[in-house]
Amino acid sequence: MHLFWLLLLLTMSGLLSAQEASEVAEEPTLAGLQSSIEAAQSSLTMIWLVITGALVFFMQAGFAMVEVGLTRAKNAANIIMKNLMDFAVGSVAFFFVGWGLMYGSTASGWIGTDHFALMGYSPDEITNILRNWFFQVVFAATAATIVSGAMAERTKFVSYLLYSVFISAIVYPISGHWIWGGGWLSEMGFHDFAGSTVVHSVGGWAALVGAILLGPRLGKYVKLPDGKVKVRAILGHNLPLAALGVFILWFGWYGFNPGSTLDGNSVDIGWVAVTTTLGASTGAVGAMIMSWILFKKPDTSMSLNGALAGLVAITAPTYVVEPWAAIVIGLIGGILVVLSVEFFDKVLHIDDPVGAISVHGVCGVWGTLSVGLFANRPNDKIVGLFYNGSFHQLGVQTLGVVTVFIWVVVTMGAFFFIVRQTVGLRVDEKEELQGLDITEHAAEAYPGFQIFSNM
Amino acid sequence: MHLFWLLLLLTMSGLLSAQEASEVAEEPTLAGLQSSIEAAQSSLTMIWLVITGALVFFMQAGFAMVEVGLTRAKNAANIIMKNLMDFAVGSVAFFFVGWGLMYGSTASGWIGTDHFALMGYSPDEITNILRNWFFQVVFAATAATIVSGAMAERTKFVSYLLYSVFISAIVYPISGHWIWGGGWLSEMGFHDFAGSTVVHSVGGWAALVGAILLGPRLGKYVKLPDGKVKVRAILGHNLPLAALGVFILWFGWYGFNPGSTLDGNSVDIGWVAVTTTLGASTGAVGAMIMSWILFKKPDTSMSLNGALAGLVAITAPTYVVEPWAAIVIGLIGGILVVLSVEFFDKVLHIDDPVGAISVHGVCGVWGTLSVGLFANRPNDKIVGLFYNGSFHQLGVQTLGVVTVFIWVVVTMGAFFFIVRQTVGLRVDEKEELQGLDITEHAAEAYPGFQIFSNM
Amino acid sequence: MHLFWLLLLLTMSGLLSAQEASEVAEEPTLAGLQSSIEAAQSSLTMIWLVITGALVFFMQAGFAMVEVGLTRAKNAANIIMKNLMDFAVGSVAFFFVGWGLMYGSTASGWIGTDHFALMGYSPDEITNILRNWFFQVVFAATAATIVSGAMAERTKFVSYLLYSVFISAIVYPISGHWIWGGGWLSEMGFHDFAGSTVVHSVGGWAALVGAILLGPRLGKYVKLPDGKVKVRAILGHNLPLAALGVFILWFGWYGFNPGSTLDGNSVDIGWVAVTTTLGASTGAVGAMIMSWILFKKPDTSMSLNGALAGLVAITAPTYVVEPWAAIVIGLIGGILVVLSVEFFDKVLHIDDPVGAISVHGVCGVWGTLSVGLFANRPNDKIVGLFYNGSFHQLGVQTLGVVTVFIWVVVTMGAFFFIVRQTVGLRVDEKEELQGLDITEHAAEAYPGFQIFSNM
């Protein structure tokens, strides 16, 4: 409450002058002081997690702007709607179901089994549980929203809503349980500090399955008479908004990674902020250079994706690697994302309008594996190949990467398949040509602006 | 100061090695430690209020983008100007006059009477007072800026400046004094945690009065020969910017609500963050469903307004209700905003380009009343009808809602009436058709873009 | 790590119930409690600097949006690229070289000589050093990015990359060393709290040199037959994005200034937030009034620049001046920026598309000098002319302003000159007319939108 006026009055009325207060107050005791200190430590974590959680929430704006910017104007209102509603329905799904599956008690190590709808906590526990839930729900929402970009410009809105519930309630929480919820992968020593695998690869692989089952946008891959396929670039309509989105995501990542210390008293918060910064920077540099080599020009949207690639890659190892390693990991992430985007587009002909599969799936894997190579935290028993010559950590990381890939591909594949056979996954041709804004929402993103009719 | 180099030098020069320091330092005493702990607790509140205050400041960007996005391109520069200058002149007015009226000493409980221009504080008090002023000025600015949207596309800029001074200096602070400044409503037990009434309804009712006295935009309501009125939709020109604005507002709300604990040591910060999140989410869901029913399509701008409606509604009860109640309160807020927007537009023919009256006025009332229904904080003596079967809290909440409505309608009505008779409230027809950017500011928002001439 | 599940399990399994824990725990001692308190104080600074540092990082988005908004659509992708890559390459350059020059050990007071690539710190030091590096790198990046706007729409991208490395590695750190790194200016008592000179004037003077050596954009100054010069306004293409950028910058400034306490336990954080707010507000007011007088209309982009001018001006004195002085300093900054923009454009014919020289260079000087006039912090021995009647502080401030001007003009002048003679500083005429998006990046910012061909 805004009780502050009361304190003001008391102060001014002189009833509680400093001297009198100290006369009235009990003598401090060692135990009393200790408990005050513990309360302050707990408060540090409280404000730290709520602020960093808010930063992670803000990444929703970043994802929305990147996706809007890199697609066509006729679908912008639909994209906004998806990015708004995946959080809205996803957070409710995570409240009722996901949290319990992820952080509920576990016997098997495979799945949490209680605390659905946050029930069953004692009054003492609940304030910290709510704090933790807030910090976790924004991560669940990040995983969900990654998929939106890869399935942009052709997905039925109602199916996207169903998907948002499914991934937030079931898919993300269960593999999350294995790694962050006390499950079997965490017991094996798998390390994913802030979610290269838990969040980004889960989103990236769901995006992959979705993009395959949807098929490419009309006109994206044109079969020529000689049997070859002509790959057409479908340009995004608003690069400044996409750039703004990337800056917002990078900003939000200072909640995502440093916040994942889960402790406002951690002495390593600055460490994580530094490796995050360097990884993002060299990711942009790597992608710029790679695009310069491949396309003869430093490509703007590739460089933007490079920053994201670096961020995704550094997310798992941020806490366990040294700054120089962050520079290397980000740089490789940036190079990788360009090659991967080209590979999925030109070779596999999987249509991913924003490059989500490459940024989040592929670079999520790279970041997770990089822990097995560059980690150097002996105190936490996380040391990689380059420091102890052992393939152990790399093996565990690989196991996690593979299992999560299988988990997501199987469950999301089954889900999208069932949706396709029932509700339908894709809008019809006429709707796609006209744009989803009109057909799905009776909306227009830019009334008044003259827009070329074929865009 | 960036004195950090000094500490670095000292550290490195070995003059202050840890051992020597502890030899030199006095023995710690219980009283000394207690005072250190109290200083740390105070610092927690300091950084908490400055960071959350900054988040609330950022909501100015959100309001600006929502209003720009939901109106026409020809008025965008004027809208930017209003949203920038209402903070700029409002903060100065709140400094010289508003703060004193709101948080100055009160005998009557109706109005504060000292501390204008922050005068009259002792040197000991001033640092915390400045901290509090910063956190409060951004709330005052929020109330002021709400009105801008409802009066968009037809208000004289100079009159808007006068309005900004009046609401920030007089109207907002006085009703604020009743509720947050130790005034009569707070003494009766009226509870409005973060300002559903203090901030949002004040803004919303001022918007209502302003929109009525201005009249609708040209062409908005066309009288047909048969006496009926044809209601024309005037579409906003940039939905992505409006969406960005909503995300920014939601993000900023994590300062608005959790920051209103006014205490970085509060154990309920996480609680507030959770109810805020759930209220916003179900607000979006409620509006989406309601628009789907009414218009046969899930409407993008209604869903965006639904998220805001949920946020406004949960602002008063966020601290006193449980998560399940937040879900219900937000959902009802989202449904309500759609019905209310339709009602003001289709039935009352009051032209509110962005729906500010419904989002902030109507949902502010709903949120304030919901305290009387769902509150369950016996320790703070705030318990609603559904928990104790008593209409007492609901009665007090209703009294506050009604009094503030009367206060704002009377004062703002008188103010806008006087302005209309003297300076003039509205631009002339030719200016309105041409757009306020050219006529008021000799500016153009999008030079180079081809824009349809009737927009 | 997300170890939180472990704590949860422990809590629930009852192994660590509160009673048992306290039985097991050692008795608290005075020394132990004191060290816990010191750790909490250190943690306060840790989370404070990482959060405020993230806010300062976000200013990159602000600069990008301001520059994009105030220039033409055909160069928007290039501008994004510059604003992304100056941080990306600049942060790496600051890591390897800049930090050591700025905060390395100094014998002479002129230049730091060790700790390149953050080497040579003990394990105990490194966590706080990393925290400090993060907070400093975002300031270095701010200085670098200021220049981008003044050199917009005509600079070769590759030369801009070289520039970004040079200023981040050499120019900014060395003058920064004199003032914040323990160098000779700081020893003389020069006071620049958050960088009116260290950051903004350095950026502003580099912008001045760059704009002069580049020359104006084609068609900006047209020589008439009678020898006079016709000054043409080249309008920016997206005022709403520019406004968003200004709001983001203002928001980020709550990291920039309050964060520069460098101490989460400072009691003056609120003080700094208040003077920052008032300075920004009256800066906007001053520029609005001045533009109203000069142009007969309140100008939108001038008022936006006025807010930035107020912020730049209050950056040096924010900690040492009282709120009333902040109001005056900001107001003068706002007036000054309008006059200065007109002077550089109409009189000197130096083409600065966004007004960076005036906002950051000129108002940076004004803010730095204002310390010598308005400062009133006797405890810190910083008192200005208006309080002690002595010209001493004003003299020191002037000395710093002049030396930094010479340093930047000489080094950046030499650098830009060499680049011009070798790599080339400016794109050729055809490229400039076509726009740098196509010619430098094979990109288009707004595919689909119809844009007038001469823009």
Side-chain angles (χ1 to χ4, degrees):
Chain A
M1 274 156 302
H2 283 253
L3 275 178
F4 132 89
W5 60 269
L6 226 167
L7 298 170
L8 215 73
L9 284 179
L10 287 171
T11 311
M12 284 180 288
S13 64
L15 286 174
L16 257 182
S17 71
Q19 296 90 323
E20 289 172 320
S22 63
E23 283 171 5
V24 176
E26 291 177 41
E27 276 295 299
T29 62
L30 281 171
L33 292 182
Q34 188 176 39
S35 113
S36 296
I37 293 169
E38 283 164 8
Q41 289 165 337
S42 178
S43 293
L44 270 159
T45 297
M46 176 69 90
I47 68 175
W48 174 241
L49 288 187
V50 170
I51 294 166
T52 54
L55 285 173
V56 178
F57 167 80
F58 194 41
M59 292 170 72
Q60 295 290 319
F63 281 108
M65 292 302 110
V66 167
E67 188 179 347
V68 163
L70 296 181
T71 53
R72 286 167 294 181
K74 66 183 175 187
N75 298 310
N78 171 257
I79 285 166
I80 287 162
M81 204 54 185
K82 289 194 302 169
N83 280 274
L84 177 73
M85 297 313 301
D86 60 17
F87 189 93
V89 303
S91 65
V92 176
F94 190 74
F95 176 79
F96 282 111
V97 181
W99 169 266
L101 295 181
M102 189 154 173
Y103 291 110
S105 314
T106 186
S108 61
W110 286 88
I111 192 162
T113 54
D114 55 5
H115 296 309
F116 299 104
L118 296 178
M119 285 183 304
Y121 293 109
S122 72
D124 283 354
E125 287 171 313
I126 197 69
T127 52
N128 280 354
I129 289 294
L130 286 172
R131 175 197 73 190
N132 296 340
W133 184 84
F134 175 65
F135 191 73
Q136 297 299 331
V137 73
V138 290
F139 279 72
T142 303
T145 209
I146 287 167
V147 178
S148 180
M151 299 177 70
E153 308 203 271
R154 57 209 193 278
T155 305
K156 266 194 172 176
F157 179 66
V158 70
S159 304
Y160 187 79
L161 284 183
L162 295 175
Y163 146 79
S164 300
V165 172
F166 186 67
I167 196 169
S168 308
I170 310 289
V171 179
Y172 168 82
I174 290 179
S175 49
H177 181 77
W178 306 344
I179 299 166
W180 288 349
W184 65 277
L185 270 169
S186 69
E187 298 211 343
M188 291 187 66
F190 182 81
H191 178 76
D192 181 8
F193 188 75
S196 288
T197 285
V198 176
V199 179
H200 293 282
S201 284
V202 165
W205 302 144
L208 172 65
V209 179
I212 291 174
L213 284 171
L214 264 177
R217 289 167 292 175
L218 293 173
K220 175 68 187 152
Y221 304 111
V222 184
K223 272 230 170 102
L224 299 180
D226 62 359
K228 288 192 184 155
V229 171
K230 187 176 144 52
V231 176
R232 195 180 133 230
I234 299 178
L235 298 176
H237 79 283
N238 201 327
L239 220 43
L241 280 193
L244 177 64
V246 169
F247 280 116
I248 290 174
L249 286 168
W250 189 336
F251 174 52
W253 234 287
Y254 290 120
F256 207 88
N257 284 7
S260 290
T261 53
L262 300 179
D263 180 357
N265 305 283
S266 164
V267 296
D268 290 308
I269 289 170
W271 180 293
V272 171
V274 169
T275 51
T276 299
T277 303
L278 291 171
S281 288
T282 56
V285 171
M288 180 189 72
I289 293 173
M290 199 65 219
S291 71
W292 216 326
I293 293 170
L294 287 185
F295 316 135
K296 315 296 173 215
K297 304 261 187 191
D299 188 78
T300 307
S301 62
M302 280 294 184
S303 304
L304 291 167
N305 262 340
L308 299 184
L311 285 161
V312 169
I314 201 61
T315 292
T318 179
Y319 169 77
V320 295
V321 298
E322 289 167 9
W324 74 266
I327 289 174
V328 176
I329 292 167
L331 193 71
I332 293 176
I335 293 168
L336 209 55
V337 80
V338 177
L339 298 174
S340 174
V341 162
E342 290 296 290
F343 180 72
F344 278 100
D345 188 28
K346 302 284 167 56
V347 180
L348 297 185
H349 298 157
I350 294 171
D351 183 19
D352 174 1
V354 307
I357 301 166
S358 300
V359 169
H360 300 280
V362 172
C363 291
V365 167
W366 159 237
T368 308
L369 296 182
S370 76
V371 170
L373 302 172
F374 297 92
N376 187 22
R377 279 269 179 181
N379 293 341
D380 294 284
K381 296 192 182 145
I382 307 168
V383 182
L385 178 63
F386 297 162
Y387 285 91
N388 66 3
S390 154
F391 282 87
H392 175 73
Q393 189 69 39
L394 188 60
V396 175
Q397 300 297 113
T398 308
L399 179 68
V401 161
V402 172
T403 340
V404 169
F405 176 81
I406 294 170
W407 163 249
V408 175
V409 167
V410 169
T411 52
M412 289 309 309
F415 175 82
F416 280 135
F417 183 79
I418 292 168
V419 169
R420 194 169 71 171
Q421 304 306 106
T422 53
V423 188
L425 201 52
R426 185 162 178 155
V427 299
D428 66 34
E429 268 199 32
K430 209 186 120 201
E431 291 171 321
E432 188 175 338
L433 288 172
Q434 204 182 344
L436 279 63
D437 289 5
I438 295 291
T439 61
E440 290 280 69
H441 310 287
E444 237 186 302
Y446 302 101
F449 286 97
Q450 300 201 21
I451 294 177
F452 292 107
S453 57
N454 60 337
M455 292 299 285
Chain B
M1 273 156 302
H2 282 254
L3 275 178
F4 129 90
W5 60 269
L6 226 169
L7 298 170
L8 214 73
L9 284 179
L10 288 170
T11 311
M12 285 180 287
S13 64
L15 286 174
L16 257 182
S17 71
Q19 295 90 320
E20 289 172 321
S22 64
E23 284 171 4
V24 175
E26 292 177 38
E27 276 295 300
T29 64
L30 281 171
L33 292 182
Q34 187 175 41
S35 114
S36 297
I37 293 169
E38 283 164 8
Q41 289 165 336
S42 178
S43 293
L44 270 159
T45 296
M46 176 68 89
I47 69 174
W48 174 241
L49 288 187
V50 170
I51 293 167
T52 54
L55 285 173
V56 178
F57 167 80
F58 194 41
M59 292 171 71
Q60 295 291 318
F63 280 107
M65 292 302 109
V66 167
E67 188 179 346
V68 163
L70 296 181
T71 53
R72 287 166 294 182
K74 66 183 174 187
N75 298 310
N78 171 256
I79 285 166
I80 286 162
M81 202 57 184
K82 289 193 302 170
N83 280 274
L84 177 73
M85 297 314 301
D86 60 19
F87 188 93
V89 303
S91 64
V92 176
F94 189 74
F95 176 79
F96 284 111
V97 181
W99 169 267
L101 295 181
M102 189 153 172
Y103 291 110
S105 314
T106 185
S108 60
W110 285 88
I111 192 163
T113 53
D114 54 7
H115 296 308
F116 299 103
L118 296 178
M119 286 182 303
Y121 293 110
S122 72
D124 283 353
E125 286 171 314
I126 197 69
T127 54
N128 279 354
I129 288 294
L130 286 173
R131 176 198 73 191
N132 295 340
W133 183 84
F134 174 65
F135 192 74
Q136 297 299 330
V137 72
V138 289
F139 279 72
T142 303
T145 208
I146 287 167
V147 178
S148 179
M151 299 176 70
E153 308 203 271
R154 57 208 194 277
T155 306
K156 268 194 173 176
F157 178 67
V158 69
S159 305
Y160 187 79
L161 284 184
L162 295 173
Y163 146 80
S164 299
V165 171
F166 186 67
I167 196 169
S168 307
I170 310 289
V171 180
Y172 168 83
I174 290 179
S175 49
H177 180 78
W178 306 345
I179 300 166
W180 288 350
W184 65 276
L185 271 168
S186 69
E187 298 211 343
M188 291 186 66
F190 181 81
H191 178 77
D192 181 8
F193 187 76
S196 289
T197 285
V198 176
V199 179
H200 293 282
S201 284
V202 165
W205 301 144
L208 173 65
V209 180
I212 292 173
L213 284 171
L214 264 176
R217 288 168 292 175
L218 293 174
K220 174 70 186 151
Y221 304 110
V222 184
K223 272 229 167 106
L224 299 178
D226 62 359
K228 287 193 185 154
V229 172
K230 185 175 145 51
V231 177
R232 194 181 134 229
I234 299 179
L235 298 177
H237 79 283
N238 201 327
L239 220 43
L241 280 193
L244 176 64
V246 169
F247 280 115
I248 290 174
L249 285 167
W250 190 333
F251 173 53
W253 235 287
Y254 291 119
F256 207 88
N257 284 8
S260 290
T261 54
L262 300 179
D263 180 358
N265 304 282
S266 164
V267 296
D268 290 307
I269 288 169
W271 181 293
V272 170
V274 169
T275 53
T276 300
T277 303
L278 291 171
S281 288
T282 57
V285 172
M288 180 187 74
I289 293 172
M290 200 65 218
S291 72
W292 215 327
I293 294 170
L294 287 184
F295 316 134
K296 315 297 173 212
K297 305 263 185 191
D299 188 78
T300 307
S301 62
M302 281 294 185
S303 303
L304 291 168
N305 261 340
L308 299 184
L311 285 161
V312 169
I314 201 62
T315 292
T318 178
Y319 169 78
V320 295
V321 300
E322 289 167 10
W324 74 265
I327 288 174
V328 176
I329 292 167
L331 193 71
I332 294 175
I335 292 167
L336 209 55
V337 80
V338 178
L339 298 173
S340 174
V341 163
E342 290 296 291
F343 180 73
F344 278 100
D345 187 28
K346 303 284 168 56
V347 179
L348 297 185
H349 297 157
I350 294 171
D351 183 18
D352 175 1
V354 306
I357 301 166
S358 300
V359 169
H360 301 279
V362 173
C363 292
V365 167
W366 159 238
T368 307
L369 296 181
S370 76
V371 170
L373 302 172
F374 296 93
N376 188 21
R377 280 270 178 177
N379 293 342
D380 294 283
K381 296 193 180 143
I382 306 167
V383 181
L385 178 64
F386 297 162
Y387 285 91
N388 67 2
S390 155
F391 283 86
H392 174 72
Q393 188 70 40
L394 188 60
V396 176
Q397 301 296 114
T398 308
L399 179 67
V401 162
V402 171
T403 341
V404 170
F405 177 81
I406 295 170
W407 163 250
V408 176
V409 167
V410 169
T411 53
M412 289 308 309
F415 175 82
F416 281 133
F417 183 80
I418 293 167
V419 169
R420 194 169 72 171
Q421 304 306 106
T422 52
V423 188
L425 202 51
R426 185 163 178 155
V427 298
D428 67 33
E429 269 199 32
K430 209 186 120 202
E431 292 171 320
E432 188 175 339
L433 289 172
Q434 204 182 344
L436 278 64
D437 289 5
I438 294 291
T439 60
E440 290 280 70
H441 310 287
E444 236 186 301
Y446 303 101
F449 285 97
Q450 299 201 20
I451 294 176
F452 291 106
S453 58
N454 60 336
M455 293 299 284
Chain C
M1 275 156 303
H2 281 253
L3 276 178
F4 131 90
W5 60 268
L6 226 169
L7 298 170
L8 214 73
L9 285 179
L10 288 171
T11 311
M12 284 180 287
S13 63
L15 286 173
L16 257 181
S17 71
Q19 298 88 322
E20 290 171 320
S22 64
E23 284 171 4
V24 176
E26 292 178 38
E27 276 294 300
T29 63
L30 281 171
L33 292 182
Q34 188 176 39
S35 113
S36 297
I37 293 169
E38 284 163 8
Q41 289 164 336
S42 178
S43 293
L44 270 158
T45 297
M46 176 68 90
I47 69 175
W48 175 241
L49 288 187
V50 170
I51 293 167
T52 53
L55 285 173
V56 178
F57 167 80
F58 195 41
M59 292 171 71
Q60 296 290 319
F63 281 107
M65 293 301 110
V66 167
E67 187 179 346
V68 164
L70 296 182
T71 54
R72 287 166 294 182
K74 65 183 174 186
N75 298 311
N78 171 256
I79 285 166
I80 286 162
M81 202 58 184
K82 289 193 301 170
N83 279 274
L84 177 73
M85 296 314 301
D86 60 17
F87 188 93
V89 303
S91 65
V92 176
F94 189 73
F95 176 79
F96 283 112
V97 182
W99 169 267
L101 295 181
M102 189 154 173
Y103 291 110
S105 314
T106 185
S108 60
W110 285 89
I111 192 163
T113 53
D114 55 6
H115 296 308
F116 298 104
L118 295 177
M119 286 182 303
Y121 293 110
S122 72
D124 283 353
E125 287 170 313
I126 196 70
T127 53
N128 280 354
I129 289 294
L130 286 173
R131 176 197 75 191
N132 296 341
W133 184 84
F134 175 65
F135 192 74
Q136 296 300 331
V137 72
V138 290
F139 279 71
T142 303
T145 209
I146 286 166
V147 178
S148 180
M151 298 176 71
E153 309 204 270
R154 57 207 194 279
T155 306
K156 267 194 173 177
F157 178 66
V158 69
S159 305
Y160 187 79
L161 284 184
L162 294 174
Y163 146 79
S164 300
V165 171
F166 186 67
I167 196 169
S168 307
I170 310 288
V171 180
Y172 169 82
I174 290 179
S175 50
H177 180 77
W178 307 344
I179 299 166
W180 287 349
W184 66 276
L185 271 169
S186 69
E187 298 210 345
M188 292 186 64
F190 181 81
H191 178 78
D192 181 8
F193 187 76
S196 288
T197 285
V198 175
V199 179
H200 293 282
S201 283
V202 166
W205 300 144
L208 173 64
V209 179
I212 291 174
L213 284 172
L214 265 177
R217 289 167 292 175
L218 293 174
K220 176 69 188 152
Y221 303 111
V222 184
K223 273 229 167 104
L224 299 178
D226 62 356
K228 286 192 185 155
V229 172
K230 187 174 144 50
V231 176
R232 197 181 132 229
I234 299 179
L235 297 176
H237 80 281
N238 201 327
L239 220 43
L241 281 194
L244 176 64
V246 169
F247 280 115
I248 289 174
L249 285 168
W250 189 334
F251 173 53
W253 234 287
Y254 290 120
F256 207 90
N257 283 8
S260 291
T261 54
L262 300 179
D263 180 358
N265 305 281
S266 163
V267 297
D268 290 307
I269 289 170
W271 181 292
V272 171
V274 168
T275 52
T276 300
T277 303
L278 291 171
S281 288
T282 56
V285 171
M288 180 188 74
I289 293 173
M290 200 65 217
S291 70
W292 215 327
I293 294 170
L294 286 184
F295 316 134
K296 314 296 172 214
K297 305 263 185 191
D299 187 78
T300 307
S301 62
M302 280 295 185
S303 304
L304 291 168
N305 261 340
L308 299 184
L311 285 162
V312 169
I314 201 62
T315 292
T318 179
Y319 169 78
V320 295
V321 299
E322 288 166 10
W324 74 265
I327 289 175
V328 176
I329 292 167
L331 194 70
I332 293 175
I335 293 168
L336 209 55
V337 80
V338 177
L339 298 174
S340 174
V341 162
E342 290 296 290
F343 180 72
F344 278 100
D345 187 29
K346 304 283 167 58
V347 179
L348 296 185
H349 298 158
I350 293 171
D351 183 18
D352 175 0
V354 306
I357 301 166
S358 300
V359 169
H360 301 279
V362 173
C363 291
V365 166
W366 160 237
T368 307
L369 297 181
S370 77
V371 170
L373 301 172
F374 296 92
N376 187 21
R377 281 269 179 179
N379 293 341
D380 295 283
K381 297 193 180 144
I382 307 168
V383 182
L385 177 65
F386 297 163
Y387 284 91
N388 67 2
S390 154
F391 282 87
H392 174 72
Q393 189 70 40
L394 188 60
V396 175
Q397 300 296 115
T398 308
L399 179 67
V401 161
V402 171
T403 341
V404 169
F405 176 80
I406 295 170
W407 162 249
V408 175
V409 167
V410 169
T411 53
M412 290 308 309
F415 174 82
F416 281 134
F417 183 79
I418 292 168
V419 169
R420 195 169 71 172
Q421 305 305 106
T422 54
V423 189
L425 202 52
R426 186 163 177 154
V427 299
D428 66 32
E429 268 200 32
K430 209 186 120 200
E431 292 171 321
E432 188 176 339
L433 288 172
Q434 204 182 345
L436 279 63
D437 290 4
I438 295 291
T439 60
E440 290 280 70
H441 310 287
E444 236 186 302
Y446 302 102
F449 284 96
Q450 300 200 21
I451 294 177
F452 291 106
S453 57
N454 59 336
M455 292 300 284

